[in-house]
Amino acid sequence: MSETFDCAKCSESLYGRKYIQTDSGPYCVPCYDNTFANTCAECQQLIGHDSRELFYEDRHFHEGCFRCCRCQRSLADEPFTCQDSELLCNDCYCSAFSSQCSACGETVMPGSRKLEYGGQTWHEHCFLCSGCEQPLGSRSFVPDKGAHYCVPCYENKFAPRCARCSKTLTQGGVTYRDQPWHRECLVCTGCQTPLAGQQFTSRDDDPYCVACFGELFAPKCSSCKRPITGLGGGKYVSFEDRHWHHSCFSCARCSTSLVGQGFVPDGDQVLCQGCSQAGP
């Protein structure tokens, strides 16, 4: 009696037929495929034993079904990306999900170094200072009308310059004669005292503190011999080539104020009319 050689699944004889041997016994080809073959995630058909099978994570595909879901290009030997369970070739992924460099117009590839600002994207090597054309990288920059400048270039191009030293003013500063000055550059021409926040005046466009201006240029009071600057609302009286502070313009004998009153000059002195009439 001859020994039986049957399929472990359907029990049909395998004599003269193609079969596949497994640990659990021989199987005819149809039974093997039905029992062990995976189902293609794309076409939902069995992936036969004689088909090239590709898989990604827990999904299996016929070689011909493993394609980009957009352009249908085969991904069998191509790099690809999975986006929301869809398989995409690199070209389709970049076209759909990558940004365009605002400088060169090329795609900013996923994972590459990039910079983003104001809703725009640049390759790191394309984000350049509009002045010196050096990469800005992680350095501070200043945007201006669509351009981007490193801080030194922006200051050289746009920042106001001090009227005295001609260097840029990056912060603070004061205005004198409609020109910007560093606070430390606005000093008295005479004594070099800083004038920012102080009362001062000028002579031939040069700034002077009150003390230096008085000593150098102001007329002297004929009474107290101190300078008459007229600053701060100070009033004075002039007669011929002599000058007096209001507070100093008084009768040399009785000390009565002569401001707004008649007076009589008496040599180097001035007298009220009463003292003048009284005689020496």
Side-chain angles (χ1 to χ4, degrees), residues 168-216:
T168 56
L169 279 80
T170 57
Q171 59 182 0
V174 294
T175 300
Y176 170 61
R177 291 192 175 274
D178 296 325
Q179 292 180 307
W181 296 63
H182 291 113
R183 295 180 67 87
E184 61 272 19
C185 288
L186 185 61
V187 297
C188 173
T189 306
C191 65
Q192 303 301 305
T193 298
L195 299 177
Q198 306 296 322
Q199 187 180 46
F200 67 94
T201 186
S202 63
R203 174 81 173 219
D204 298 328
D205 292 339
D206 293 325
Y208 289 88
C209 67
V210 174
C212 284
F213 183 84
E215 289 297 325
L216 295 173

Side-chain angles (χ1 to χ4, degrees), residues 3-266:
E3 183 179 356
T4 60
F5 185 55
D6 299 332
C7 172
K9 178 78 173 182
C10 66
S11 300
E12 290 187 6
S13 175
L14 297 176
Y15 282 113
R17 298 174 60 189
K18 185 176 181 180
Y19 69 94
I20 299 173
Q21 183 67 44
T22 71
D23 291 341
S24 59
Y27 286 79
C28 65
V29 171
C31 286
Y32 179 86
D33 286 343
N34 287 330
T35 303
F36 299 105
N38 293 305
T39 299
C40 176
E42 179 66 21
C43 69
Q44 303 304 312
Q45 300 297 315
L46 291 177
I47 304 173
H49 69 283
D50 55 352
S51 299
R52 183 184 179 192
E53 180 178 348
L54 301 174
F55 67 92
Y56 174 72
E57 295 182 342
D58 59 347
R59 292 182 288 169
H60 299 261
F61 302 84
H62 291 105
E63 180 179 14
C65 294
F66 194 58
R67 302 186 301 266
C68 172
C69 69
R70 300 204 173 194
C71 68
Q72 303 303 308
R73 177 193 301 179
S74 173
L75 300 178
D77 298 304
E78 297 284 340
F80 64 91
T81 302
C82 183
Q83 181 73 23
D84 296 330
S85 78
E86 292 184 335
L87 300 178
L88 299 168
C89 65
N90 273 1
D91 289 343
C92 287
Y93 178 80
C94 291
S95 176
F97 300 104
S98 297
S99 303
Q100 301 298 117
C101 177
S102 296
C104 70
E106 298 294 329
T107 299
V108 180
M109 297 295 291
S112 63
R113 297 178 68 86
K114 64 181 181 180
L115 291 166
E116 295 178 320
Y117 175 76
Q120 294 179 290
T121 304
W122 290 263
H123 295 109
E124 185 178 48
H125 60 272
C126 290
F127 192 54
L128 308 178
C129 170
S130 299
C132 63
E133 298 186 347
Q134 294 300 308
L136 290 171
S138 59
R139 292 189 294 163
S140 298
F141 66 91
V142 182
D144 184 77
K145 298 178 181 178
H148 305 88
Y149 296 89
C150 64
V151 174
C153 283
Y154 182 83
E155 291 178 351
N156 287 333
K157 187 175 180 67
F158 299 107
R161 294 183 176 274
C162 175
R164 181 180 185 184
C165 70
S166 297
K167 295 181 180 180
T168 56
L169 279 80
T170 57
Q171 59 182 0
V174 294
T175 300
Y176 170 61
R177 291 192 175 274
D178 296 325
Q179 292 180 307
W181 296 63
H182 291 113
R183 295 180 67 87
E184 61 272 19
C185 288
L186 185 61
V187 297
C188 173
T189 306
C191 65
Q192 303 301 305
T193 298
L195 299 177
Q198 306 296 322
Q199 187 180 46
F200 67 94
T201 186
S202 63
R203 174 81 173 219
D204 298 328
D205 292 339
D206 293 325
Y208 289 88
C209 67
V210 174
C212 284
F213 183 84
E215 289 297 325
L216 295 173
F217 306 111
K220 303 300 188 291
C221 177
S222 294
S223 177
C224 71
K225 309 306 180 185
R226 289 182 297 177
I228 301 174
T229 63
L231 297 175
K235 296 180 180 181
Y236 61 96
V237 176
S238 296
F239 175 70
E240 295 181 345
D241 59 349
R242 291 183 287 173
H243 310 276
W244 293 265
H245 296 106
H246 260 207
S247 59
C248 294
F249 191 54
S250 58
C251 176
R253 293 183 183 178
C254 66
S255 299
T256 299
S257 174
L258 298 177
V259 177
Q261 306 296 321
F263 64 91
V264 178
D266 182 29

